[in-house]
Amino acid sequence: MTIFDANGHGHEPSSRVAFAGNRLDRRSEQRHDDSLTEALASPKMRAFAMQGGRALLKKQGEEFAPLHSAEELDHLKPDLENAILLGFSDDESPRIAVPVHLDLETLPDNIKAVDHRSIYMQGLLKDSLLGELAQGASLLAWASSHRHCGRCGEKTIARSGGYRRECPACKQQLFPRTDPVVIMLSIDLENDRCLLGRSPHFPQGMYSCLAGFLEPGETMEDAVRRETLEESAIRVGRVRYHASQPWPMPHTLMIGCYCEATSTDIKIDTNELEDCRWFTRPEAEAMLNRNVWGNGHSTPPPGAIAHHLIRDWLESTD
Amino acid sequence: MTIFDANGHGHEPSSRVAFAGNRLDRRSEQRHDDSLTEALASPKMRAFAMQGGRALLKKQGEEFAPLHSAEELDHLKPDLENAILLGFSDDESPRIAVPVHLDLETLPDNIKAVDHRSIYMQGLLKDSLLGELAQGASLLAWASSHRHCGRCGEKTIARSGGYRRECPACKQQLFPRTDPVVIMLSIDLENDRCLLGRSPHFPQGMYSCLAGFLEPGETMEDAVRRETLEESAIRVGRVRYHASQPWPMPHTLMIGCYCEATSTDIKIDTNELEDCRWFTRPEAEAMLNRNVWGNGHSTPPPGAIAHHLIRDWLESTD
């Protein structure tokens, strides 16, 4: 075994997926109960304002800006008590995410509420801001579903700049949640084909990698084998990790893997998929490049980890 | 890039760590609201009985058996309403995990309540049962901390054989939780050394890999770099995934990585570590083989993913 492969750090597959560009200094070891108050008092503070899976963007000509100053935030009915400190930018600007409670039907003309998936799909933000948005969206989604203690039902209190919640009754500590999902491209090495499926929820013609939540008490590799077997009846041997991606709908870690199919007869789990089949390299390449919403087959768009798994396979040497 | 490295499936590093041996057929796509009732009605049903981070083991001579029949379970005050169906063994025996409510001080002589860590450390169970125990322990810990809805505080109801909980008031769905933790061995390639630290909670003399929770909105590789920088001030370039491990204290996925140190001056985060230093290969090898609780330096024991990261580095060619 060699410890490192030839890929340099600059070519790290995880650095090329959407939502992975967060460069904030999180200072996770330095969070304390006054962190948020201090951040809110700083004139350099800039905030993501979020509501129900959407971010409020300022429209500036053709551009969209997601960061709001304290003064701008004042007009958005911010719930500052449930704000969360994300970290600090290069110029020591504290960055926070704040839930707001607006009537989205009557927003001013220069404010647009856009769901996180559309922000990524339409390329509205540069990579670093999209990465910060992923952190903020994941944390606010977690916090909003943990307002009460799961053990005793009491209302919880935000601590450590919002990064921890505490139950005043039973003292349970609640920490942010990240759900690992395995997403994998099964390769039929003998016939040089890959396995793709489509969920009934996909846009017309789109096929993607199989995927599923990793279960308690399971290794990453076992999750890849179990999910592939359950969804397609394809048996899998070797598994290789390729890249990971933060996916803030609501707070997922996509773990992208290649795996070697050791069988070829597909039996579709019709509860999950409406189709699943093998695609040759030329077929997969045509789908990848015809990446449009419309007729014909397509793959998920650039930025999606499935897109990178397919593209990197096409560019691989085995 | 090549898709697969030379390691065969049989040599998968994740298959050699403790708690990874679960071979139950989980049939995750087939869970439904009667799954648990059906399992409890089966004469083949066998149950893990658990209480407060401990499993109740039957002592049979020098051996320990963790599985209880329905009749045996009857004597242990089982909370069957909060049992969870784990899956099915090769002989179609439904396997469940059940919380029990006993006075642990007055257990019969042939029943021992042993915490999950000790069960692994003392090698009390074979790999497959230790893997099943990891699944059951993780799920029961999750379920017990989600008896109430985090959104509205209402009591939740178990669904899908216990694998899902539902709030009857606000309809929130709750799914099992697995917390990804990165654990990494930083390598100083130029000087052929690895970085190990010790927490004040470790047994005397023990050093291990640095580790920390992956944060929302973060790739695995970025988590490795952030945690290493925060705990030791060591900067890291390339990161390579090596192995993962289910860790049921309470419901963690350990993600083991190698990373290339690009600096060498250590500055210890004294909130987390009481020491952190570079170890040469001979030093690391001596620690690994002197893996005893006692004087002198040691590493975590076989089965721990840190042990495997260190050993596999020692056996590597770069």
CSV table of all heavy atoms in Angstrom, one decimal, chain B residues 228-260:
chain,number,residue,atom,x,y,z
B,228,THR,N,-7.0,19.4,12.5
B,228,THR,CA,-5.6,19.2,12.7
B,228,THR,C,-5.0,20.6,13.0
B,228,THR,O,-4.2,20.8,14.0
B,228,THR,CB,-4.9,18.6,11.5
B,228,THR,OG1,-5.6,17.4,11.2
B,228,THR,CG2,-3.4,18.4,11.7
B,229,LEU,N,-5.4,21.6,12.3
B,229,LEU,CA,-4.9,23.0,12.5
B,229,LEU,C,-5.3,23.5,13.9
B,229,LEU,O,-4.5,24.0,14.6
B,229,LEU,CB,-5.4,23.9,11.4
B,229,LEU,CG,-4.9,25.3,11.4
B,229,LEU,CD1,-3.4,25.4,11.1
B,229,LEU,CD2,-5.7,26.2,10.5
B,230,GLU,N,-6.6,23.3,14.2
B,230,GLU,CA,-7.1,23.8,15.5
B,230,GLU,C,-6.4,23.1,16.7
B,230,GLU,O,-6.1,23.7,17.7
B,230,GLU,CB,-8.6,23.6,15.6
B,230,GLU,CG,-9.4,24.5,14.8
B,230,GLU,CD,-10.9,24.3,14.9
B,230,GLU,OE1,-11.4,23.4,15.6
B,230,GLU,OE2,-11.7,25.1,14.3
B,231,GLU,N,-6.2,21.8,16.6
B,231,GLU,CA,-5.7,21.1,17.8
B,231,GLU,C,-4.2,21.1,17.9
B,231,GLU,O,-3.6,21.1,19.0
B,231,GLU,CB,-6.1,19.6,17.7
B,231,GLU,CG,-7.7,19.5,17.9
B,231,GLU,CD,-8.1,18.1,18.2
B,231,GLU,OE1,-7.3,17.1,18.2
B,231,GLU,OE2,-9.3,17.9,18.5
B,232,SER,N,-3.5,21.3,16.8
B,232,SER,CA,-2.0,21.2,16.8
B,232,SER,C,-1.3,22.3,16.1
B,232,SER,O,-0.1,22.4,16.2
B,232,SER,CB,-1.6,19.8,16.2
B,232,SER,OG,-1.9,19.9,14.8
B,233,ALA,N,-2.0,23.1,15.4
B,233,ALA,CA,-1.4,24.2,14.5
B,233,ALA,C,-0.7,23.6,13.3
B,233,ALA,O,0.0,24.4,12.6
B,233,ALA,CB,-0.5,25.2,15.3
B,234,ILE,N,-0.7,22.3,13.1
B,234,ILE,CA,-0.1,21.7,11.9
B,234,ILE,C,-1.0,21.9,10.7
B,234,ILE,O,-2.2,21.6,10.8
B,234,ILE,CB,0.2,20.2,12.2
B,234,ILE,CG1,1.2,20.0,13.3
B,234,ILE,CG2,0.6,19.5,10.9
B,234,ILE,CD1,2.6,20.7,13.0
B,235,ARG,N,-0.4,22.4,9.6
B,235,ARG,CA,-1.1,22.6,8.4
B,235,ARG,C,-1.0,21.3,7.5
B,235,ARG,O,0.0,20.6,7.6
B,235,ARG,CB,-0.5,23.7,7.6
B,235,ARG,CG,-0.7,25.0,8.3
B,235,ARG,CD,-0.4,26.3,7.5
B,235,ARG,NE,-0.8,27.4,8.3
B,235,ARG,CZ,-2.0,27.9,8.4
B,235,ARG,NH1,-3.0,27.4,7.6
B,235,ARG,NH2,-2.3,28.9,9.2
B,236,VAL,N,-2.1,21.0,6.9
B,236,VAL,CA,-2.2,19.8,6.1
B,236,VAL,C,-2.6,20.0,4.7
B,236,VAL,O,-3.4,20.9,4.4
B,236,VAL,CB,-3.4,18.9,6.8
B,236,VAL,CG1,-3.9,17.9,5.9
B,236,VAL,CG2,-2.8,18.3,8.1
B,237,GLY,N,-2.0,19.3,3.8
B,237,GLY,CA,-2.3,19.4,2.4
B,237,GLY,C,-3.2,18.2,1.9
B,237,GLY,O,-4.4,18.2,2.2
B,238,ARG,N,-2.6,17.2,1.3
B,238,ARG,CA,-3.4,16.1,0.8
B,238,ARG,C,-4.0,15.3,1.9
B,238,ARG,O,-3.4,15.1,3.0
B,238,ARG,CB,-2.5,15.2,0.0
B,238,ARG,CG,-2.0,15.7,-1.4
B,238,ARG,CD,-1.2,14.7,-2.1
B,238,ARG,NE,0.0,14.4,-1.5
B,238,ARG,CZ,0.9,13.5,-1.9
B,238,ARG,NH1,0.7,12.8,-3.1
B,238,ARG,NH2,2.1,13.3,-1.3
B,239,VAL,N,-5.2,14.8,1.6
B,239,VAL,CA,-5.9,14.0,2.6
B,239,VAL,C,-6.4,12.7,1.8
B,239,VAL,O,-6.8,12.8,0.7
B,239,VAL,CB,-7.2,14.7,3.1
B,239,VAL,CG1,-8.0,13.8,4.0
B,239,VAL,CG2,-6.8,16.0,3.9
B,240,ARG,N,-6.2,11.6,2.4
B,240,ARG,CA,-6.7,10.4,1.8
B,240,ARG,C,-7.5,9.5,2.8
B,240,ARG,O,-7.0,9.2,3.9
B,240,ARG,CB,-5.5,9.5,1.3
B,240,ARG,CG,-6.1,8.3,0.4
B,240,ARG,CD,-5.0,7.5,-0.2
B,240,ARG,NE,-4.3,6.6,0.7
B,240,ARG,CZ,-4.8,5.5,1.2
B,240,ARG,NH1,-6.0,5.1,0.9
B,240,ARG,NH2,-4.1,4.8,2.1
B,241,TYR,N,-8.7,9.2,2.4
B,241,TYR,CA,-9.6,8.4,3.2
B,241,TYR,C,-9.0,7.0,3.2
B,241,TYR,O,-8.5,6.4,2.2
B,241,TYR,CB,-10.9,8.3,2.5
B,241,TYR,CG,-11.8,7.2,3.1
B,241,TYR,CD1,-12.4,7.3,4.3
B,241,TYR,CD2,-12.0,6.0,2.4
B,241,TYR,CE1,-13.2,6.3,4.9
B,241,TYR,CE2,-12.7,4.9,3.0
B,241,TYR,CZ,-13.3,5.1,4.2
B,241,TYR,OH,-14.1,4.1,4.7
B,242,HIS,N,-9.0,6.3,4.4
B,242,HIS,CA,-8.5,5.0,4.6
B,242,HIS,C,-9.6,4.0,5.0
B,242,HIS,O,-9.7,2.9,4.4
B,242,HIS,CB,-7.3,5.0,5.6
B,242,HIS,CG,-6.6,3.7,5.7
B,242,HIS,ND1,-6.1,3.1,4.6
B,242,HIS,CD2,-6.4,2.9,6.8
B,242,HIS,CE1,-5.5,1.9,5.0
B,242,HIS,NE2,-5.7,1.8,6.3
B,243,ALA,N,-10.3,4.3,6.0
B,243,ALA,CA,-11.3,3.3,6.6
B,243,ALA,C,-12.3,4.0,7.4
B,243,ALA,O,-12.1,5.1,7.9
B,243,ALA,CB,-10.5,2.3,7.4
B,244,SER,N,-13.4,3.4,7.6
B,244,SER,CA,-14.4,3.9,8.5
B,244,SER,C,-14.9,2.9,9.5
B,244,SER,O,-14.6,1.7,9.3
B,244,SER,CB,-15.7,4.4,7.7
B,244,SER,OG,-16.2,3.4,6.9
B,245,GLN,N,-15.4,3.4,10.6
B,245,GLN,CA,-15.8,2.5,11.7
B,245,GLN,C,-17.0,3.0,12.4
B,245,GLN,O,-17.1,4.1,12.8
B,245,GLN,CB,-14.6,2.5,12.7
B,245,GLN,CG,-14.9,1.6,14.0
B,245,GLN,CD,-13.8,1.6,15.0
B,245,GLN,OE1,-13.2,2.6,15.2
B,245,GLN,NE2,-13.6,0.5,15.6
B,246,PRO,N,-18.0,2.1,12.6
B,246,PRO,CA,-19.2,2.5,13.4
B,246,PRO,C,-18.7,2.5,14.9
B,246,PRO,O,-18.0,1.6,15.3
B,246,PRO,CB,-20.2,1.3,13.2
B,246,PRO,CG,-19.6,0.4,12.2
B,246,PRO,CD,-18.1,0.7,12.1
B,247,TRP,N,-19.1,3.5,15.6
B,247,TRP,CA,-18.6,3.6,17.0
B,247,TRP,C,-19.9,4.0,17.9
B,247,TRP,O,-20.3,5.1,17.8
B,247,TRP,CB,-17.6,4.7,17.1
B,247,TRP,CG,-16.8,4.9,18.4
B,247,TRP,CD1,-17.0,5.9,19.3
B,247,TRP,CD2,-15.9,4.0,18.9
B,247,TRP,NE1,-16.1,5.7,20.3
B,247,TRP,CE2,-15.4,4.5,20.1
B,247,TRP,CE3,-15.3,2.8,18.5
B,247,TRP,CZ2,-14.5,3.9,20.9
B,247,TRP,CZ3,-14.4,2.1,19.2
B,247,TRP,CH2,-14.0,2.7,20.5
B,248,PRO,N,-20.4,3.0,18.6
B,248,PRO,CA,-21.7,3.2,19.2
B,248,PRO,C,-21.7,3.9,20.5
B,248,PRO,O,-22.4,3.5,21.4
B,248,PRO,CB,-22.2,1.7,19.3
B,248,PRO,CG,-21.0,0.9,19.5
B,248,PRO,CD,-19.9,1.6,18.8
B,249,MET,N,-20.8,4.9,20.7
B,249,MET,CA,-20.8,5.7,22.0
B,249,MET,C,-21.0,7.1,21.7
B,249,MET,O,-20.0,7.9,21.8
B,249,MET,CB,-19.5,5.4,22.7
B,249,MET,CG,-19.5,4.1,23.4
B,249,MET,SD,-19.2,2.6,22.4
B,249,MET,CE,-17.4,2.5,22.4
B,250,PRO,N,-22.2,7.7,21.4
B,250,PRO,CA,-23.4,6.9,21.2
B,250,PRO,C,-23.8,6.4,19.8
B,250,PRO,O,-24.3,5.3,19.6
B,250,PRO,CB,-24.5,7.8,21.8
B,250,PRO,CG,-24.0,9.2,21.5
B,250,PRO,CD,-22.5,9.1,21.5
B,251,HIS,N,-23.5,7.2,18.8
B,251,HIS,CA,-23.9,6.8,17.4
B,251,HIS,C,-23.0,7.6,16.4
B,251,HIS,O,-23.5,8.5,15.8
B,251,HIS,CB,-25.4,7.1,17.2
B,251,HIS,CG,-26.0,8.2,17.9
B,251,HIS,ND1,-25.5,9.5,17.7
B,251,HIS,CD2,-27.0,8.4,18.7
B,251,HIS,CE1,-26.2,10.4,18.5
B,251,HIS,NE2,-27.1,9.7,19.1
B,252,THR,N,-21.8,7.2,16.3
B,252,THR,CA,-20.8,7.9,15.6
B,252,THR,C,-20.3,7.1,14.4
B,252,THR,O,-20.3,5.8,14.5
B,252,THR,CB,-19.6,8.2,16.5
B,252,THR,OG1,-20.1,9.1,17.5
B,252,THR,CG2,-18.4,8.9,15.8
B,253,LEU,N,-19.9,7.7,13.3
B,253,LEU,CA,-19.2,7.1,12.2
B,253,LEU,C,-17.8,7.7,12.2
B,253,LEU,O,-17.6,8.9,12.0
B,253,LEU,CB,-19.8,7.4,10.9
B,253,LEU,CG,-19.0,6.8,9.7
B,253,LEU,CD1,-19.1,5.3,9.6
B,253,LEU,CD2,-19.5,7.4,8.4
B,254,MET,N,-16.8,6.9,12.6
B,254,MET,CA,-15.4,7.3,12.6
B,254,MET,C,-14.9,7.2,11.1
B,254,MET,O,-15.0,6.2,10.5
B,254,MET,CB,-14.5,6.5,13.5
B,254,MET,CG,-15.0,6.3,14.9
B,254,MET,SD,-15.0,7.9,15.8
B,254,MET,CE,-13.2,8.1,16.0
B,255,ILE,N,-14.4,8.3,10.6
B,255,ILE,CA,-13.9,8.4,9.2
B,255,ILE,C,-12.4,8.6,9.3
B,255,ILE,O,-11.9,9.6,9.6
B,255,ILE,CB,-14.5,9.5,8.4
B,255,ILE,CG1,-16.0,9.3,8.4
B,255,ILE,CG2,-14.0,9.6,7.0
B,255,ILE,CD1,-16.8,10.5,7.8
B,256,GLY,N,-11.6,7.5,9.0
B,256,GLY,CA,-10.2,7.5,9.2
B,256,GLY,C,-9.4,7.9,8.0
B,256,GLY,O,-9.7,7.4,6.9
B,257,CYS,N,-8.6,8.9,8.1
B,257,CYS,CA,-7.8,9.4,7.0
B,257,CYS,C,-6.3,9.6,7.3
B,257,CYS,O,-5.9,9.7,8.4
B,257,CYS,CB,-8.4,10.8,6.6
B,257,CYS,SG,-10.1,10.9,6.1
B,258,TYR,N,-5.5,9.5,6.2
B,258,TYR,CA,-4.2,10.0,6.3
B,258,TYR,C,-4.1,11.4,5.7
B,258,TYR,O,-4.9,11.8,4.8
B,258,TYR,CB,-3.3,9.1,5.4
B,258,TYR,CG,-3.1,7.7,6.0
B,258,TYR,CD1,-3.7,6.7,5.4
B,258,TYR,CD2,-2.3,7.5,7.1
B,258,TYR,CE1,-3.6,5.4,5.9
B,258,TYR,CE2,-2.2,6.3,7.7
B,258,TYR,CZ,-2.8,5.2,7.1
B,258,TYR,OH,-2.7,3.9,7.6
B,259,CYS,N,-3.2,12.2,6.3
B,259,CYS,CA,-3.0,13.5,5.7
B,259,CYS,C,-1.6,13.9,5.7
B,259,CYS,O,-0.8,13.5,6.6
B,259,CYS,CB,-3.9,14.6,6.4
B,259,CYS,SG,-3.8,14.7,8.1
B,260,GLU,N,-1.2,14.7,4.7
B,260,GLU,CA,0.2,15.1,4.6
B,260,GLU,C,0.4,16.5,5.3
B,260,GLU,O,-0.2,17.5,4.9
B,260,GLU,CB,0.5,15.3,3.1
B,260,GLU,CG,1.9,15.6,2.8
B,260,GLU,CD,2.2,15.8,1.3
B,260,GLU,OE1,1.3,15.6,0.5
B,260,GLU,OE2,3.4,16.2,1.0
